[in-house]
Amino acid sequence: MLHDSKSRDDLDILKNKINDISAFFEKTLFSTDKRPLVGWFCTYTPEELIVAGGFIPVRIFGRKKIIKSESYFPINFCPYIKSSWESLLSGADNLKAVIFTNSCDGMRRFFDTANKYLKDTPSYLLDVPHLRGVDSIDFFANNLNNMKRFIENLNGKKISNKEIKNAIILINKKRKLLKKYSQISTKLPELISISSYFKVMELSMISAPEIFTDDLERYIKFIREADTENMTNLQPNYENTPGIMIIGNFITEEKLWGMLSTMNLKLASDDLCISSRYFEKQIELGDDSDFLNLTAERYLNKPQCMRMADLGLKLKEIENNIIKNNIEGVIFISLKFCDTMLYSFPLLKQKLNDLGIPALYLEIEYNNFSEGQLKTRVQAFLEML
Amino acid sequence: MGIKDKLKTGVQRNLNQKYIRRLLDIIAKKPVLFAYGSTFSSLSDKYLNIFTIKSLRNAYTDNNHPVGYGSLFLPYEMFHALGITPFLPEVMAGFTAGLGLATQTLKEASSNWYSQDLCTFHRSASGAVELDVFPKPDFVITTNLACDAAQKSFYIHSVKYNIEKNFYLIDVPYEYSKESILYLTGQIKNICMDISSKSGIKLATSKFKEVISLSNEFRKWAIKVNNLRKTLTNYPPYYNGLNFILPFHGLAGTREAVILYNQMYKELKKYLDKEEKEKSGKNKSLKRILWLHLKPYYKNEIFNILERENCRVVFEEINYIYWPELDPERPFESLAKKMLSHFLAGRIDNRINVILKAARDYKIDGAILFSHWGCRQSNGGARIIKDSLNKLNIPTLVLDGDCVDQNNSSQGQVKTRLQGFVEILNS
Ligand code: SF4
Ligand code: SF4
């Protein structure tokens, strides 16, 4: 069966089709939705409130080359921040407002910079606690209320409880579909490339959520149907490939994903702020109608970012995923100069040593990817496994 | 070889806890400590060093009190009220630089996967922890004020000593508000209660009140010192306002801090009186400098160069009294307000306000922001600070360097940049 050439051809055709993301997400990409955009950076920002206010939440990816930004920040400063600043300065994203969080020292200074030098675009900083107890949830809910007021002031319209609830239902649906898609991708590494997987993740954060969820639903349905035709048993290249987990921060380098897609790397789990840390955990809607509190609860209890206080809990989350997904190797990728990530590595490395899991440590620039050396290192790592 | 050099070479050769403990035991004995104190040319330096030795000896050798690692911007009044001996790894990292140990500690940190892009105060302290040079803590307390580094590196220390359960983060909210005060007060109170029940040391209200009153007393003298400095130009030899980090923070709430700042006041007052009598302060061409952030703690030429160029650091932002008088009746809330009032919490505007106020109060001609490698919170605001001072026509030098790692700073470059800056000041 595996060497049946007809099946292989069919598989190739199917593979090309599934990885043609622009075809499946045409409506998303060419959206006619004219609602104004509100930018955000960090996965602790509840998009729900932005949607409830009548805006489209758009994560700022900062794809701009860093030029002017250099004169605002030091050399050894988060390249994601610098390149996002470049894009805010250029006005390219056409944003009605920008929501920052106090995720890290860099972000706090980024907010100050935007506040001082970008006078025409209102900006807001959402204070996210580092702790997760009941008091922190209450405190965070109060901050969400302040953020809500900021959004209301943007268009002079009050946000109703019903609007928040509808937005929660919508974003919950998006998260649920993304999780499903992530599970399918893990199961079908030959069919869904790493590039496609992360492309879909990116689209989920920069598009009108209603249109995107429709497209994603159809896309998943298509893959599922292909699966029932049993095409997916054909994964010869990945049969004995060890499962890899990628742990990182804001890693959105298309060329990196492209490179990994060509390397027979089986991505069996990820812990990144552009994937699992974004879509895991729903807002539990029950009888409680204190939606801000429920939202606060979800955001503080979602899979943690390294910025949170309890690094031990983060390590536990990673360990659970390693065991659950039979991970045999970890690739740790950090953007340069990201303190919270860099400080997590000494303990993570210890933990991985205890578990007997080899790790590859990579630090990268942003929008400035050079494949050469990196490819050799990843190759050597995979061979070692 | 003088007593200070002997100490230095002794520790360099025997970098281990046993040796340090023995050394501290010897030096902390009264006559020796007195002799050691008298080697310092100013009274304030003398008290600073005596109290530092005492505090270190307690941390290393006193088994009757628990030891608490604390990050710099904590309200140490809570330590003293709880009877915990504070040990400040970041300050100690400065000592590793001064004692010529940083190469060893930083190397150790690197081999434990601490990236070279991280702040060396934390890297060097982490290296020392890994080398087992620091005393073993019973509690580890940290805060997100003023940066991300402490909360992360301190957690790693708690793992190293297997006391994650005794790790506490005081999470200072971003804005000063009613809700923030409440949230923070609750945290401080809970932590104190938890530590008290774990250590078995009762948190007595009377003790807390006493500590808070001492803290107010220290604050009063520190303000007087700062006020004197508004007009003072001639300082005791080797006086450097950036040397008093430990007492300013770690000893707040102790009698020692009161004595030290009282002595400092008296000493500086004498200089001021003399200056006024002899009109020697009227050095017209003297350039008055405001120092931002910290300084290198290894031997360096920065302040000598400034002195030679007729420039004097007349104030350091780190010595600014940012908090209101504490209320002994409401200790937890007072400490919460103290933390929330810090100019490095929240928006950069809080820091800018302090800088601009200092610029006016101390009539400064220029500011130097020491851009310590890897300090995102400070350096990330350099452009805004520079632009804000520029509006007052005050030139600012952003001086790249490293407070702890001598090898990450080029003395030649520092000199050239300082001289260039002095030219601007004189033009
Ligand atoms: S990547 Fe790291 S440094 Fe950059 S914004 Fe995110 S948390 Fe901050
Ligand atoms: S120098 Fe900066 S990064 Fe280092 S501990 Fe101090 S505030 Fe934090």
Side-chain angles (χ1 to χ4, degrees):
Chain A
M1 171 81 169
L2 287 186
H3 303 289
D4 179 319
S5 64
K6 174 154 184 332
S7 305
R8 274 243 56 104
D9 286 349
D10 289 350
L11 181 71
D12 281 343
I13 293 169
L14 179 64
K15 215 160 111 178
N16 285 338
K17 190 153 188 199
I18 286 184
N19 288 302
D20 188 356
I21 300 299
S22 10
F24 279 104
F25 289 85
E26 204 183 339
K27 286 210 184 78
T28 302
L29 285 164
F30 300 100
S31 159
T32 51
D33 195 325
K34 289 280 175 285
R35 280 175 294 174
L37 314 177
V38 169
W40 60 277
F41 298 97
C42 166
T43 55
Y44 284 92
T45 316
E47 286 175 279
E48 289 83 352
L49 293 182
I50 301 174
V51 172
F55 301 93
I56 300 178
V58 176
R59 191 167 195 180
I60 296 170
F61 271 66
R63 295 265 185 228
K64 286 260 179 243
K65 197 170 161 38
I66 300 164
I67 302 166
K68 284 190 197 151
S69 202
E70 289 294 8
S71 70
Y72 288 86
F73 296 112
I75 345 165
N76 54 345
F77 207 72
C78 169
Y80 165 53
I81 290 181
K82 281 191 189 176
S83 118
S84 298
W85 179 227
E86 198 73 39
S87 94
L88 288 184
L89 274 175
S90 75
D93 303 317
N94 199 13
L95 301 168
K96 177 87 181 168
V98 187
I99 312 254
F100 294 79
T101 56
N102 60 342
S103 27
C104 64
D105 292 337
M107 268 291 163
R108 287 193 290 135
R109 294 294 91 94
F110 185 12
F111 170 65
D112 292 325
T113 306
N115 232 337
K116 281 267 174 305
Y117 303 103
L118 200 72
K119 294 246 162 28
D120 294 338
T121 312
S123 48
Y124 180 81
L125 184 136
L126 172 67
D127 184 10
V128 185
H130 292 84
L131 303 166
R132 320 187 328 153
V134 186
D135 293 345
S136 303
I137 291 173
D138 283 348
F139 180 72
F140 190 41
N142 180 62
N143 297 345
L144 292 183
N145 199 27
N146 293 337
M147 172 178 156
K148 180 175 143 248
R149 258 185 251 137
F150 170 80
I151 293 172
E152 287 172 340
N153 285 336
L154 290 176
N155 55 6
K157 192 183 133 297
K158 282 254 164 265
I159 298 175
S160 70
N161 236 2
K162 180 138 182 280
E163 281 165 330
I164 301 181
K165 186 176 179 190
N166 288 342
I168 289 178
I169 294 171
L170 175 65
I171 305 296
N172 265 351
K173 183 175 174 195
K174 174 162 85 166
R175 283 190 281 256
K176 193 168 148 205
L177 287 169
L178 284 172
K179 180 160 182 177
K180 205 177 273 174
Y181 176 58
S182 163
Q183 286 163 340
I184 296 172
S185 305
T186 314
K187 228 179 77 201
L188 306 173
E190 171 108 14
L191 279 180
I192 303 173
S193 74
I194 294 178
S195 285
S196 301
Y197 173 67
F198 284 112
K199 186 74 208 158
V200 171
M201 291 296 152
E202 178 169 341
L203 284 176
S204 77
M205 297 173 208
I206 57 170
S207 319
E210 298 84 350
I211 305 175
F212 172 80
T213 39
D214 279 357
D215 276 350
L216 181 58
E217 212 162 14
R218 258 185 299 112
Y219 181 42
I220 290 177
K221 194 162 161 247
F222 177 85
I223 305 172
R224 282 238 161 116
E225 278 167 12
D227 195 26
T228 53
E229 281 172 28
N230 218 9
M231 301 295 289
T232 56
N233 290 333
L234 300 170
Q235 303 209 55
N237 293 335
Y238 288 89
E239 237 167 38
N240 294 314
T241 319
I244 299 290
M245 178 174 190
I246 297 184
I247 300 176
N249 40 6
F250 196 72
I251 307 296
T252 60
E253 203 60 68
E254 283 167 20
K255 288 187 197 143
L256 170 71
W257 304 139
M259 180 190 102
L260 297 181
S261 298
T262 63
M263 294 179 79
N264 242 18
L265 184 147
K266 186 155 100 189
L267 179 62
S269 180
D270 53 61
D271 193 319
L272 296 157
C273 75
I274 48 138
S275 56
S276 58
R277 299 211 289 267
Y278 171 64
F279 64 68
E280 286 283 358
K281 192 162 170 67
Q282 302 283 41
I283 297 182
E284 304 293 344
L285 285 175
D287 301 332
D288 191 351
S289 59
D290 187 348
F291 297 124
L292 292 185
N293 213 282
L294 294 173
T295 306
E297 201 269 333
R298 183 265 160 187
Y299 278 86
L300 288 190
N301 286 315
K302 76 183 184 71
Q304 289 199 151
C305 160
M306 312 296 177
R307 76 171 288 274
M308 296 297 274
D310 196 345
L311 264 184
L313 191 73
K314 182 72 229 171
L315 293 177
K316 193 82 208 140
E317 277 173 15
I318 292 174
E319 181 179 354
N320 290 345
N321 277 331
I322 286 176
I323 294 166
K324 197 171 93 198
N325 299 299
N326 284 323
I327 301 298
E328 289 177 57
V330 164
I331 301 182
F332 177 94
I333 316 178
S334 179
L335 285 179
K336 280 188 84 75
F337 314 122
C338 173
D339 289 346
T340 53
M341 272 304 278
L342 297 180
Y343 274 115
S344 69
F345 195 68
L347 281 187
L348 176 64
K349 180 74 182 136
Q350 242 176 55
K351 169 68 97 196
L352 295 174
N353 282 352
D354 293 348
L355 295 169
I357 307 280
L360 175 66
Y361 175 93
L362 305 173
E363 272 181 81
I364 61 168
E365 288 284 348
Y366 194 69
N367 293 337
N368 188 11
F369 181 74
S370 73
E371 189 172 306
Q373 212 203 5
L374 216 59
K375 188 161 184 174
T376 320
R377 289 187 63 198
V378 177
Q379 196 71 56
F381 180 68
L382 294 177
E383 275 162 21
M384 182 196 84
L385 295 176
Chain B
M1 205 194 280
I3 186 164
K4 282 180 248 169
D5 289 326
K6 271 192 200 148
L7 272 175
K8 201 165 160 176
T9 29
V11 183
Q12 276 172 1
R13 288 200 193 122
N14 306 281
L15 190 53
N16 63 67
Q17 260 196 71
K18 208 168 137 203
Y19 180 82
I20 297 172
R21 221 176 284 142
R22 231 184 47 220
L23 200 70
L24 286 167
D25 256 345
I26 298 170
I27 199 168
K29 295 231 162 63
K30 258 201 181 137
V32 188
L33 192 58
F34 193 74
Y36 174 68
S38 63
T39 61
F40 294 91
S41 42
S42 81
L43 261 184
S44 17
D45 259 353
K46 174 181 162 176
Y47 282 105
L48 168 70
N49 282 282
I50 288 179
F51 293 148
T52 303
I53 293 284
K54 274 187 161 176
S55 160
L56 286 181
R57 199 197 68 143
N58 289 346
Y60 273 95
T61 63
D62 178 1
N63 298 325
N64 298 326
H65 293 93
V67 173
Y69 279 13
S71 60
L72 191 60
F73 296 110
L74 287 175
Y76 279 90
E77 291 85 350
M78 66 189 266
F79 283 63
H80 303 301
L82 281 162
I84 295 178
T85 306
F87 184 83
L88 286 73
E90 291 148 298
V91 173
M92 294 308 293
F95 286 19
T96 62
L99 292 168
L101 308 169
T103 311
Q104 277 182 74
T105 49
L106 291 170
K107 193 166 150 232
E108 184 64 20
S110 293
S111 62
N112 282 284
W113 295 96
Y114 286 86
S115 159
Q116 299 211 346
D117 291 325
L118 296 168
C119 161
T120 41
F121 280 109
H122 288 277
R123 260 200 295 143
S124 185
S126 300
V129 166
E130 295 299 336
L131 285 168
D132 255 327
V133 178
F134 287 171
K136 184 181 174 310
D138 300 287
F139 297 96
V140 174
I141 310 169
T142 181
T143 170
N144 56 330
L145 180 71
C147 72
D148 295 327
Q151 43 171 323
K152 298 294 155 204
S153 67
F154 277 51
Y155 184 82
I156 306 176
H157 303 335
S158 76
V159 174
K160 152 97 186 173
Y161 294 109
N162 227 336
I163 50 167
E164 294 102 303
K165 290 220 157 46
N166 291 353
F167 167 85
Y168 302 94
L169 170 77
I170 302 186
D171 192 18
V172 180
Y174 186 77
E175 301 275 2
Y176 191 112
S177 70
K178 218 170 61 230
E179 292 79 9
S180 297
I181 294 171
L182 217 66
Y183 177 51
L184 193 51
T185 304
Q187 288 182 51
I188 297 176
K189 189 169 177 187
N190 289 342
I191 293 174
C192 286
M193 296 305 175
D194 205 50
I195 291 179
S196 159
S197 84
K198 281 178 184 160
S199 66
I201 303 173
K202 205 170 155 286
L203 186 59
T205 321
S206 56
K207 173 80 183 158
F208 219 145
K209 275 189 187 168
E210 184 196 326
V211 166
I212 294 282
S213 302
L214 285 170
S215 177
N216 282 337
E217 184 76 2
F218 139 69
R219 177 179 173 277
K220 188 185 84 191
W221 287 110
I223 290 177
K224 276 172 162 284
V225 167
N226 287 352
N227 283 339
L228 267 181
R229 296 185 66 196
K230 286 178 186 163
T231 37
L232 183 70
T233 44
N234 291 317
Y235 283 83
Y238 306 114
Y239 178 95
N240 189 318
L242 294 160
N243 286 345
F244 298 89
I245 311 293
L246 176 71
F248 192 88
H249 297 95
L251 297 183
T254 64
R255 201 162 293 286
E256 280 91 345
V258 178
I259 297 173
L260 172 57
Y261 278 84
N262 171 286
Q263 290 299 328
M264 194 190 292
Y265 173 76
K266 286 184 182 155
E267 185 173 36
L268 297 186
K269 178 85 171 69
K270 263 193 206 144
Y271 273 76
L272 186 65
D273 289 346
K274 191 163 169 257
E275 215 171 85
E276 280 172 354
K277 209 163 122 204
E278 296 169 4
K279 306 262 184 275
S280 54
K282 299 277 175 276
N283 175 353
K284 278 266 178 339
S285 57
L286 180 93
K287 296 295 170 204
R288 302 172 63 85
I289 306 288
L290 171 66
W291 191 272
L292 308 175
H293 201 266
L294 300 167
K295 62 161 187 164
Y297 288 91
Y298 44 84
K299 202 161 181 292
N300 69 91
E301 277 299 300
I302 294 179
F303 297 91
N304 293 341
I305 296 173
L306 288 173
E307 201 65 23
R308 279 200 300 272
E309 301 284 353
N310 203 21
C311 295
R312 183 146 312 137
V313 175
V314 290
F315 194 60
E316 310 78 19
E317 64 171 337
I318 198 81
N319 286 319
Y320 179 71
I321 303 292
Y322 53 86
W323 68 98
E325 196 173 332
L326 310 175
D327 180 355
E329 300 301 324
R330 309 171 80 86
F332 300 115
E333 188 184 307
S334 292
L335 297 184
K337 285 181 178 164
K338 182 177 180 185
M339 293 188 95
L340 278 164
S341 308
H342 201 292
F343 52 89
L344 294 179
R347 291 169 192 254
I348 192 105
D349 294 348
N350 300 331
R351 187 179 184 194
I352 300 283
N353 289 340
V354 168
I355 292 174
L356 296 184
K357 184 173 173 345
R360 283 188 297 267
D361 288 354
Y362 293 83
K363 300 191 180 54
I364 66 161
D365 298 298
I368 297 178
L369 167 61
F370 190 75
S371 171
H372 167 63
W373 172 261
C375 180
R376 318 302 161 203
Q377 68 83 9
S378 178
N379 303 339
R383 162 85 190 242
I384 304 179
I385 293 174
K386 217 176 156 155
D387 286 355
S388 308
L389 282 166
N390 251 348
K391 279 196 189 142
L392 302 182
N393 283 328
I394 296 172
T396 309
L397 170 68
V398 178
L399 187 59
D400 293 323
D402 196 305
C403 296
V404 177
D405 186 3
Q406 199 161 3
N407 302 322
N408 195 20
S409 243
S410 143
Q411 302 272 6
Q413 216 168 42
V414 165
K415 192 172 170 188
T416 317
R417 301 221 42 216
L418 279 174
Q419 282 166 342
F421 182 60
V422 173
E423 270 172 37
I424 296 174
L425 292 182
N426 288 326
S427 66

